[in-house]
């Protein structure tokens, strides 16, 4: 009888985290949540920080629970959000709590760097990464500019999952997928770029050895073994960037797929052997992030259910008490395509009132102004699906292969209305699931390191065997084609109004 292998995954998001056990046997897997905890953003002295010690404590707590239950774990893997990092001093101690990407110090840093240090086009040509003010390169530039003491004294700079792995093992690495979010990495060489580092006054020696997902970092230190009651368990560098682990869990049968990681934010992309960096990808602000087995995740960030979530906070209590299916079901009774927005317009980034921003956008573009929660919800769902169509069409232009399916993963894979709209709008077969893709990818990469699977395609076969995907086929193609024409005309009106000022 085959022995069931057990893996410990640490999955950390920007608001919460959890530890999970994954069991693999007989070509299938199952998950069990061990602990769940908040990841609190700390505001102090005009800056925002992460409590790295609290996260370490929670990992230790999860490992203690594993030992208490008498579970024998094969290995440990950690994935987190991207871009943020920890400074370590010459004495091996952490220098201050790490800054969080929401810190206001970066608000003008990107424009200042691109104007006075290296041009926007040059940075994109090196990295192929989309421009966001909180990318690591601009955080580091802002700290250099302010003569931040921790920056000036840092002996090592470790991205968050690498820092936590270092706290567990004492070994310093720079995992490829998390490093790729920094806008310091050249996806062609798969190394940090010396010119970009020099522009910040940094050397390559400040960072750990570059390792690929599936590499063993080391085993738990004697101290951690004593604290947890476990033995010398290996810690594996999984895809340290949570989206990298999530995409590794797409249960595709071959390379001819696109993915939509759907949640508060949406990430639509493809998996390619090589980075796609050209004038068109630059113009459309696509990004090239590191994937598993040397692949590139070529993708675009799209505003997701952020719009709906923010509106839900503003609606009266009797509306907030409705379940998501109840509220969204009422939206399906509303006339479609009456009000359309561009979900990625800057006016929706952080408005004082999301409802007010949606209504003002519709007023400015000469459309019906939605009033009821059902009308606003329908506007959001219609508009997201139309934006997905636009990005999916761009994706088909870039892809070196024919796209035969769109896999929706993450929490949004449970949204049956938006999934059907996505199929209708894009004209693609939509396969929804799994929801727990990040933890699954984390565990599968540990399984690969342990020799249970040979490559990503065997990983994906196990995932396909273990989860039930929901299939959505395109419907109402003519109506959605007309709606897309309206969407494009609305965008033109909004852009003309913006240019006019």
């Amino acid at each position: 009888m085959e022995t069931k292998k057990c893996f410990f995954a640490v999955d950390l998001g920007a608001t919460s985290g959890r530890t999970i056990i994954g069991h693999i046997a007989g070509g299938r897997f199952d998950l069990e949540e061990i602990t769940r905890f908040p990841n609190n953003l700390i505001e102090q002295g005009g800056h925002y920080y992460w409590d790295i010690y609290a996260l370490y404590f929670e990992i230790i707590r999860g490992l203690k629970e594993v030992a208490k239950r008498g579970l024998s774990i094969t290995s440990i893997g950690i994935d987190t959000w991207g871009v943020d990092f920890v400074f370590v001093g010459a004495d091996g101690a952490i220098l201050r709590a790490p800054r969080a990407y929401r810190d206001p110090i970066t608000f003008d840093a990107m424009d200042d760097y691109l104007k006075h240090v290296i041009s926007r086009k040059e940075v994109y040509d090196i990295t192929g990464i989309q421009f966001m003010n909180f990318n690591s390169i601009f955080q580091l530039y802002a700290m250099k500019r302010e003569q931040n003491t921790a920056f000036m004294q840092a002996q090592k700079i470790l991205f968050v999952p690498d820092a936590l792995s270092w706290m567990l093992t004492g070994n310093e690495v720079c995992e490829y997928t998390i490093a790729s979010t920094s806008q310091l990495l050249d996806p062609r060489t798969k190394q940090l770029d010396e010119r970009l580092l020099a522009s910040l006054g940094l050397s390559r020696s400040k960072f750990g050895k570059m390792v690929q997902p599936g590499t063993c970092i080391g085993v738990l230190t004697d101290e951690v073994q004593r604290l947890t009651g476990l033995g010398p368990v290996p810690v594996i560098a999984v895809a340290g960037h949570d989206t990298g682990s999530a995409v590794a869990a797409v249960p595709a049968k071959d390379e001819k797929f696109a993915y939509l990681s759907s949640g508060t934010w949406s990430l639509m992309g493809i998996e390619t052997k090589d980075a796609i960096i050209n004038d068109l990808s630059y113009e459309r602000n696509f990004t090239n992030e590191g994937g598993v087995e040397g692949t590139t995740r070529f993708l675009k960030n799209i505003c997701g259910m952020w719009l709906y979530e923010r509106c839900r906070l503003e609606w009266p209590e009797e509306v907030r008490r409705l379940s998501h299916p109840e509220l969204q079901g009422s939206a399906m009774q509303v006339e479609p395509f009456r009000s359309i927005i561009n979900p990625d317009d800057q006016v929706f980034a952080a408005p004082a009132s999301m409802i007010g921003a949606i209504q003002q956008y519709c007023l400015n573009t000469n459309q019906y102004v939605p009033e009821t929660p059902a009308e606003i919800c329908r506007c959001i769902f219609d508009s997201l699906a139309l934006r997905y169509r636009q990005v999916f069409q761009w994706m088909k232009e870039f892809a070196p292969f024919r796209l035969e399916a769109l896999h929706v993963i993450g929490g949004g894979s449970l949204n049956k209305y938006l999934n059907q709209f996505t199929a209708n709008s894009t004209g693609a077969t939509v396969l929804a699931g799994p929801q727990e893709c990040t933890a699954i990818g984390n565990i599968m990469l540990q399984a690969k390191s342990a020799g249970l699977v040979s490559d990503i395609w065997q990983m994906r076969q196990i995932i396909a065997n273990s989860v039930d995907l929901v299939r959505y086929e395109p419907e109402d193609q003519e109506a959605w084609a007309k709606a897309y024409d309206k969407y494009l005309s609305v965008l033109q009106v909004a852009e003309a109004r913006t240019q006019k000022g």
Side-chain angles (χ1 to χ4, degrees):
M1 183 176 179
E2 183 181 0
T3 303
K4 191 181 268 192
K5 290 285 187 179
C6 185
F7 301 93
F8 184 86
V10 180
D11 181 20
L12 300 177
T15 57
S16 65
R18 57 200 179 135
T19 61
I20 296 170
I21 286 290
H23 305 93
I24 299 178
R28 299 176 66 87
F29 77 88
D30 59 76
L31 303 180
E32 178 187 359
E33 185 174 292
I34 301 298
T35 61
R36 181 178 288 267
F37 47 89
N39 182 15
N40 295 309
L41 196 65
I42 300 169
E43 183 176 3
Q44 193 275 324
H47 294 289
Y48 293 97
Y49 301 91
W50 299 116
D51 191 341
I52 195 72
Y53 291 109
L55 296 177
Y56 171 74
F57 170 83
E58 292 293 351
I59 295 172
I60 297 297
R61 184 169 72 92
L63 291 171
K64 284 182 177 179
E65 181 62 26
V66 164
K68 180 181 176 182
R69 296 187 189 186
L71 296 173
S72 176
I73 55 175
T74 302
S75 61
I76 299 163
I78 303 172
D79 67 77
T80 78
W81 67 98
V83 307
D84 289 340
F85 45 83
V86 173
F87 292 129
V88 180
D91 60 355
I94 290 173
L95 302 174
R96 295 183 179 172
R99 289 269 179 88
Y101 65 89
R102 293 182 185 274
D103 194 281
I105 193 175
T106 65
F107 287 175
D108 69 336
M110 182 176 76
D111 291 340
D112 190 28
Y113 178 93
L114 298 173
K115 181 178 180 180
H116 296 109
V117 184
I118 301 179
S119 74
R120 176 181 291 262
K121 188 64 165 62
E122 288 177 292
V123 172
Y124 187 84
D125 286 344
I126 294 170
T127 67
I129 294 292
Q130 65 184 331
F131 290 93
M132 294 182 286
N133 67 284
F134 51 71
N135 287 348
S136 310
I137 186 173
F138 305 123
Q139 290 195 50
L140 290 163
Y141 175 72
M143 292 178 182
K144 177 188 177 186
R145 189 176 57 178
E146 72 169 0
Q147 294 189 309
N148 178 278
T149 302
F151 173 87
M152 303 296 286
Q153 297 298 321
Q155 184 75 14
K156 287 290 182 182
I157 302 173
L158 302 175
F159 296 104
V160 171
D162 300 333
L164 290 165
S165 295
W166 163 72
M167 294 171 82
L168 294 177
T169 67
N171 295 332
E172 301 159 345
V173 300
C174 183
E175 190 276 320
Y176 175 61
T177 69
I178 198 72
S180 73
T181 69
S182 66
Q183 207 163 23
L184 288 167
L185 184 139
D186 184 334
R188 303 173 191 86
T189 65
K190 295 180 170 49
Q191 293 292 330
L192 299 176
D193 183 77
E194 298 282 1
R195 182 186 175 196
L196 295 178
L197 291 176
S199 74
L200 302 170
L202 298 174
S203 66
R204 178 62 183 83
S205 63
K206 294 286 186 183
F207 298 81
K209 174 186 175 183
M210 188 69 68
V211 298
Q212 291 291 323
T215 302
C216 180
I217 299 172
V219 300
L220 298 179
T221 63
D222 292 343
E223 177 184 49
V224 174
Q225 291 181 47
R226 175 178 55 78
L227 288 172
T228 61
L230 296 173
V233 180
V235 177
I236 306 301
V238 296
H241 186 212
D242 50 14
T243 308
S245 280
V247 173
V250 173
K253 62 180 181 179
D254 56 38
E255 67 178 6
K256 299 176 182 178
F257 72 94
Y259 59 84
L260 177 63
S261 181
S262 178
T264 301
W265 302 100
S266 295
L267 304 168
M268 182 180 284
I270 56 176
E271 196 173 64
T272 63
K273 291 183 175 64
D274 301 303
I276 301 174
I277 303 175
N278 53 42
D279 290 344
L280 193 57
S281 67
Y282 170 72
E283 178 187 330
R284 292 175 175 171
N285 204 27
F286 275 76
T287 199
N288 292 268
E289 294 178 351
V292 302
E293 298 182 3
T295 60
T296 293
R297 290 177 288 116
F298 180 72
L299 61 91
K300 186 168 181 63
N301 283 342
I302 306 169
C303 186
M305 292 300 284
W306 159 257
L307 300 161
Y308 170 82
E309 291 164 3
R310 298 301 298 178
C311 287
R312 191 174 175 86
L313 292 176
E314 295 181 50
W315 283 323
E317 185 178 349
E318 60 269 21
V319 177
R320 295 198 303 272
R321 281 202 300 262
L322 296 174
S323 68
H324 293 296
E326 287 174 326
L327 177 56
Q328 294 167 13
S330 69
M332 298 306 106
Q333 308 306 313
V334 172
E335 180 182 343
F337 314 128
R338 199 175 182 190
S339 309
I340 294 174
I341 61 172
N342 174 9
D344 288 325
D345 193 291
Q346 276 298 109
V347 299
F348 304 121
S353 167
M354 186 63 77
I355 293 173
I358 290 172
Q359 292 174 331
Q360 189 63 49
Y361 185 98
C362 292
L363 182 65
N364 292 345
T365 51
N366 307 313
Q367 299 182 84
Y368 172 76
V369 177
E371 296 290 343
T372 68
E375 289 176 337
I376 292 171
C377 181
R378 185 61 189 248
C379 168
I380 291 170
F381 279 31
D382 286 348
S383 301
L384 283 174
L386 291 167
R387 178 61 168 166
Y388 294 161
R389 177 187 179 118
Q390 183 177 40
V391 176
F392 189 71
Q393 288 184 348
W394 289 343
M395 201 69 66
K396 288 194 289 186
E397 294 177 35
F398 287 115
F401 42 76
R402 183 171 179 266
L403 298 180
E404 296 180 349
L406 175 59
H407 283 265
V408 178
I409 57 176
S413 66
L414 302 178
N415 191 325
K416 64 179 182 178
Y417 298 117
L418 185 55
N419 290 338
Q420 185 61 62
F421 283 7
T422 301
N424 298 348
S425 182
T426 62
T429 296
V430 167
L431 300 171
Q435 178 189 3
E436 303 287 356
C437 50
T438 303
I440 294 170
N442 180 321
I443 287 162
M444 283 297 166
L445 285 162
Q446 293 186 60
K448 181 187 175 188
S449 180
L452 267 65
V453 295
S454 59
D455 60 20
I456 191 170
W457 296 109
Q458 190 176 2
M459 286 166 46
R460 286 172 168 161
Q461 184 60 57
I462 292 173
I463 296 167
N465 293 342
S466 306
V467 299
D468 294 322
L469 302 183
V470 181
R471 188 183 188 95
Y472 298 86
E473 295 292 352
E475 300 173 355
D476 305 323
Q477 293 284 274
E478 186 176 345
W480 279 90
K482 290 180 180 178
Y484 186 63
D485 289 339
K486 178 180 178 180
Y487 165 83
L488 293 176
S489 66
V490 166
L491 264 61
Q492 289 179 341
V493 173
E495 185 177 354
R497 184 179 178 89
T498 299
Q499 290 176 351
K500 189 176 180 181

